[in-house]
Amino acid sequence: MSENEETLLPGLEEEYSLTSRQIQKYQADGHIYLKGVCSAAETALYRKAITEIYPAFTPESYPPGEREFYGVERAFPTVMNMWEKSRKVRRFSLARRFAKIAADLMGVDRLRLYHDSAIFLEIGGGAIPWHQDSPYMLQTDPDMTMTMWMPLVDLPAELGSMRFMSGSHLLKADKHTNLLLQSYRKGLSEVHYGAMPAGDATFHSGLTLHYAAANTTNIVREVATIIYIADNLKIVEPDTEARAYHLRRIFPGMKAGDPAVSPWTPLVFDRYAELQARPDAQPERKED
């Protein structure tokens, strides 16, 4: 697929409707499973676009000082910011359909891309232990992030979905707190959604504990993820080198207290702008 075939890719602009019950459940649990976020045909086309660019992301393709922060390793093979290098993947990563789902679940009106990634867990690849996503990102105030996790191939139950600790995003903790132990002590439920067809997706808060099983099957677990941040957040001083790297990479030249906005965090959903653009929108009333 060449770059000039970009226009043949589905735009992913159509709305995926959520019920108020789904939104309430997400906000209580910190995660949700949604069926058919992409059709089989849409998923196949974007899988081709992602797998075309994926081989270009090798450890050697990054400056030596950056390799450790991309997680390009056997146990957790990840490539990030594909949208910067491929217009085709950009259509996927900046898709309105996904962004509106995330904004509706989070209860925000404006949403930004933080980064995309492809996580291809090879046959025999190890498990990803219980963790939150937010500690691996630049901290913001408030902490309002979300991850969409979508398989590009059908995953059997033993390979997908991830496991989530329901309600763990609401726990109060610092870096010295064992959140997993706290979750078990509070009797929080561990949820596994089972097999996942390509194009289904889970959405989870950056503060939700989750776990991905080892790959004991005979297929590669091909997953695309998109991480979002709410608009109008403030940058917090990095407390780890990984977070300091994200500040340099995604928010160059910025510092603690600045808005978490840069050309590398494009706005992907703006509810107010969409309402204003509707044909039946009422013009703003001017003061006399």
Side-chain angles (χ1 to χ4, degrees), residues 26 30 131-135 143-146 165 167-171 179 204-210:
Y26 167 80
H131 67 284
Q132 299 169 301
D133 289 340
S134 285
D143 191 324
M144 297 179 69
T145 66
M146 173 181 282
M165 193 65 73
S168 57
H169 64 306
L170 301 175
L171 297 177
L179 276 174
H204 66 269
S205 164
L207 295 174
T208 298
L209 282 171
H210 55 287

Side-chain angles (χ1 to χ4, degrees), residues 41 76 91 97 105 122 159 171 198 200 205 212 252-253 260 271 278:
F76 191 12
R91 288 171 69 93
R97 184 189 303 169
L105 292 172
E122 300 290 338
L159 195 53
L171 297 177
D200 286 6
S205 164
R271 198 181 310 275
R278 286 172 46 177

Side-chain angles (χ1 to χ4, degrees), residues 132 168 170-179 182:
Q132 299 169 301
S168 57
L170 301 175
L171 297 177
K172 303 300 182 185
D174 58 31
K175 61 183 178 182
H176 304 295
T177 302
N178 186 324
L179 276 174
Q182 188 180 150

Side-chain angles (χ1 to χ4, degrees), residues 79-105:
V79 301
M80 294 166 57
N81 296 315
M82 298 177 292
W83 71 274
E84 297 178 4
K85 298 180 181 295
S86 166
R87 294 196 304 271
K88 292 173 291 185
V89 176
R90 180 186 177 94
R91 288 171 69 93
F92 181 86
S93 299
L94 275 63
R96 176 188 179 275
R97 184 189 303 169
F98 308 151
K100 186 177 186 300
I101 292 172
D104 288 347
L105 292 172

Side-chain angles (χ1 to χ4, degrees), residues 60-281:
E60 294 73 26
S61 69
Y62 305 117
E66 297 184 9
R67 292 172 190 171
E68 63 179 296
F69 303 117
Y70 276 82
V72 185
E73 55 199 23
R74 181 171 177 76
F76 191 12
T78 308
V79 301
M80 294 166 57
N81 296 315
M82 298 177 292
W83 71 274
E84 297 178 4
K85 298 180 181 295
S86 166
R87 294 196 304 271
K88 292 173 291 185
V89 176
R90 180 186 177 94
R91 288 171 69 93
F92 181 86
S93 299
L94 275 63
R96 176 188 179 275
R97 184 189 303 169
F98 308 151
K100 186 177 186 300
I101 292 172
D104 288 347
L105 292 172
M106 293 174 73
V108 302
D109 292 329
R110 289 164 61 91
L111 200 68
R112 293 185 174 274
L113 175 70
Y114 188 80
H115 71 67
D116 62 15
S117 65
I119 307 173
F120 285 13
L121 191 65
E122 300 290 338
I123 298 168
I128 313 305
W130 287 100
H131 67 284
Q132 299 169 301
D133 289 340
S134 285
Y136 297 94
M137 303 165 58
L138 179 64
Q139 187 176 359
T140 58
D141 182 25
D143 191 324
M144 297 179 69
T145 66
M146 173 181 282
T147 300
M148 182 190 82
W149 196 90
M150 178 182 286
L152 302 175
V153 295
D154 294 343
L155 299 181
E158 61 270 30
L159 195 53
S161 71
M162 295 190 294
R163 295 182 181 273
F164 300 94
M165 193 65 73
S166 292
S168 57
H169 64 306
L170 301 175
L171 297 177
K172 303 300 182 185
D174 58 31
K175 61 183 178 182
H176 304 295
T177 302
N178 186 324
L179 276 174
L180 185 59
L181 180 60
Q182 188 180 150
S183 298
Y184 283 127
R185 284 176 172 169
K186 288 184 175 293
L188 300 186
S189 299
E190 182 180 324
V191 175
H192 177 240
Y193 292 109
M196 288 187 72
D200 286 6
T202 57
F203 288 75
H204 66 269
S205 164
L207 295 174
T208 298
L209 282 171
H210 55 287
Y211 165 94
N215 188 354
T216 59
T217 71
N218 60 358
I219 63 170
V220 176
R221 186 177 67 204
E222 299 180 12
V223 172
T225 74
I226 303 173
I227 296 182
Y228 300 101
I229 58 172
D231 194 29
N232 292 323
L233 307 183
K234 299 294 183 183
I235 292 172
V236 174
E237 185 69 30
D239 57 356
T240 66
E241 182 51 37
R243 283 177 160 172
Y245 168 72
H246 278 230
L247 178 60
R248 297 191 302 270
R249 173 65 175 80
I250 303 177
F251 303 97
M254 301 177 72
K255 62 184 185 305
D258 288 344
V261 175
S262 84
W264 290 271
T265 59
L267 194 67
V268 288
F269 182 72
D270 186 333
R271 198 181 310 275
Y272 179 73
E274 289 197 1
L275 288 173
Q276 289 295 101
R278 286 172 46 177
D280 59 345

